[in-house]
Amino acid sequence: MSKSLFLKIVSDVEAYDEWFQEGLDGRMKKSFTPLQKVTSAIKQLATGNPPDEGDEYLNMSERTSRECLEYFCDTVCKRYGGEFLHKPTSHDVALLYQAHEERHHLPGMLGSLDCTHFVWRMCPTELRGQYMRGDHQYPTVMLEAVASQDLWIWHAFCGPAGSQNDINVLQQSPLFLAQRNRTAPNCPFQVNNHLYKRGYYLTDRIYPTWSVFVKSFPYPHDPNEKKFKRQHEAARKDVERAFGVLKSKWGILNRPMRSKTVRKIRSIVYTCLILHNMIIKDDGRVIALVHIQDPPVEPVFDDTAYTELIDEDTHWRLKHDLVEHLGSLDLPHLEVDSDDE
């Protein structure tokens, strides 16, 4: 995080929440400055160390450090959530189409969808069975996210119990709520001379065969299918890289969570995602540099949209068109070796 971005966050947080403003305590002495409070909160997010670490560095008690983190996370989510954790608009979708076609040669790609787990150290005993799974030793909380090629997080849904799989999380997720309410931007695309109504996400094999999901071939035989499998696996690493960057940059996500409620864990995770997107934009590596909102649309619930989302015929036709599209391109890095034949 650059110094200018850090100072901007300090200024915005101080103006938004009076708790961060400098005042007088019960002894009529000056309290901690906004710079000290924000420094304590960001240091806890970056290192994941206990809140009593600031006793010597900032002369700040454990309780005050814990309050700094809680108030900072709530303020960041309220102040920046609408700008740095918003759904893609029609302007964003057009830029995503262009960037992913240039980088991954996949027209109509919106991003990659996947889930990850965060260890919950202070999980209550009565909830441990609900938040534990056989392949994890400790209770976990799940995060569903969509990332684009620039590692920008376009969708985040945190809070489901770690005992669930990706399909269970998808059934609870608001990922396609805008499509079902008819408030999503109308952004069709064309591939292999066929027009499709909405973009798609790259997923792994556990996800269902919906029209908005594109999965790889488990055992490809045709040379074009092998090329598609290679390109799909390479492009789907975007979300895996985003998870790796998040957990390496924000140590609190890579260490067992000490919060005692899911609400506080969700607040911490969303804060890290917002700061992650802010750093990407500050570095100038973002695909959609300017946030242009669409005109407001009155939500109208329509079941036909859900029928279109889960259409398997569209899924297979789109997958076939993408295979044919990649097969028609001259891409040396996707050529099948003789050993793979």
Side-chain angles (χ1 to χ4, degrees):
M1 180 183 297
S2 64
K3 181 179 178 180
S4 59
L5 177 60
F6 172 75
L7 295 178
K8 179 182 181 301
I9 293 176
V10 174
S11 177
D12 291 346
V13 167
E14 180 185 4
Y16 190 87
D17 192 344
E18 63 179 8
W19 188 87
F20 288 93
Q21 299 174 4
E22 186 176 1
L24 300 176
D25 58 13
R27 300 174 298 172
M28 300 306 294
K29 292 185 177 181
K30 286 187 176 181
S31 62
F32 290 103
T33 64
L35 194 64
Q36 290 174 309
K37 295 178 181 179
V38 175
T39 300
S40 174
I42 292 183
K43 187 176 182 182
Q44 293 180 67
L45 293 174
T47 62
N49 293 336
D52 60 356
E53 185 189 27
D55 286 350
E56 298 181 359
Y57 179 63
L58 294 173
N59 292 327
M60 185 179 292
S61 67
E62 178 182 357
R63 176 182 175 180
T64 305
S65 298
R66 190 184 302 111
E67 290 178 350
C68 287
L69 179 61
E70 294 179 3
Y71 279 99
F72 178 78
C73 291
D74 292 340
T75 304
V76 167
C77 291
K78 295 176 182 177
R79 173 64 179 81
Y80 298 111
E83 179 181 359
F84 291 96
L85 209 58
H86 62 85
K87 298 288 185 181
T89 62
S90 57
H91 176 261
D92 299 330
V93 171
L95 295 178
L96 289 173
Y97 283 173
Q98 180 182 358
H100 288 148
E101 185 171 5
E102 292 177 356
R103 178 70 176 182
H104 299 311
H105 310 285
L106 294 173
M109 174 183 169
L110 291 173
S112 303
L113 173 66
D114 204 358
C115 294
T116 187
H117 292 255
F118 303 116
V119 178
W120 188 9
R121 176 183 177 184
M122 303 300 293
C123 178
T125 304
E126 63 270 17
L127 297 179
R128 293 183 69 89
Q130 181 180 354
Y131 284 84
M132 288 192 66
R133 205 166 70 179
D135 55 344
H136 291 84
Q137 187 178 0
Y138 303 102
T140 60
V141 177
M142 297 187 67
L143 167 68
E144 180 190 70
V146 172
S148 54
Q149 187 270 329
D150 58 350
L151 305 186
W152 184 280
I153 305 297
W154 290 101
H155 161 76
F157 175 57
C158 180
S163 60
Q164 306 180 64
N165 57 25
D166 295 3
I167 299 179
N168 303 138
V169 177
L170 177 65
Q171 293 171 348
Q172 309 170 43
S173 171
L175 177 60
F176 299 111
L177 184 61
Q179 284 80 357
R180 301 188 66 180
N181 288 339
R182 297 294 185 181
T183 58
N186 184 19
C187 299
F189 70 96
Q190 188 172 1
V191 57
N192 200 25
N193 295 325
H194 289 158
L195 185 65
Y196 293 91
K197 191 172 183 178
R198 54 178 62 89
Y200 57 87
Y201 301 99
L202 301 185
T203 62
D204 51 17
R205 287 186 291 171
I206 191 175
Y207 283 89
T209 54
W210 290 4
S211 63
V212 287
F213 294 150
V214 172
K215 302 186 288 185
S216 180
F217 293 96
Y219 305 105
H221 300 287
D222 186 74
N224 288 343
E225 293 180 357
K226 294 182 179 181
K227 292 174 65 175
F228 176 80
K229 179 180 175 64
R230 288 188 176 185
Q231 189 63 24
H232 181 281
E233 292 175 349
R236 213 186 71 81
K237 290 180 181 178
D238 293 342
V239 66
E240 304 291 349
R241 290 191 300 123
F243 289 152
V245 170
L246 276 171
K247 293 185 177 182
S248 62
K249 184 180 299 181
W250 306 106
I252 196 171
L253 301 180
N254 203 29
R255 302 178 67 173
M257 294 280 188
R258 286 181 293 270
S259 301
K260 295 185 178 181
T261 62
V262 178
R263 185 194 67 81
K264 292 182 179 180
I265 294 178
R266 187 184 296 114
S267 179
I268 291 174
V269 172
Y270 287 157
T271 300
C272 293
L273 295 175
I274 292 172
L275 295 177
H276 166 80
N277 287 347
M278 293 179 69
I279 293 174
I280 292 179
K281 184 175 181 179
D282 186 63
D283 293 341
R285 297 182 286 112
V286 64
I287 293 177
L289 188 60
V290 180
H291 176 42
I292 302 178
Q293 296 184 354
D294 291 330
V297 179
E298 188 70 22
V300 177
F301 188 79
D302 190 359
D303 283 337
T304 59
Y306 180 73
T307 305
E308 296 173 356
L309 290 173
I310 64 175
D311 186 14
E312 293 190 10
D313 294 337
T314 305
H315 168 85
W316 294 112
R317 184 170 64 250
L318 172 60
K319 191 173 182 179
H320 176 267
D321 288 340
L322 290 174
V323 171
E324 295 297 324
H325 172 75
L326 278 177
S328 63
L329 300 178
D330 184 17
L331 302 174
H333 66 283
L334 295 181
E335 292 299 330
V336 181
D337 300 333
S338 58
D339 298 337
D340 299 335
E341 293 286 349

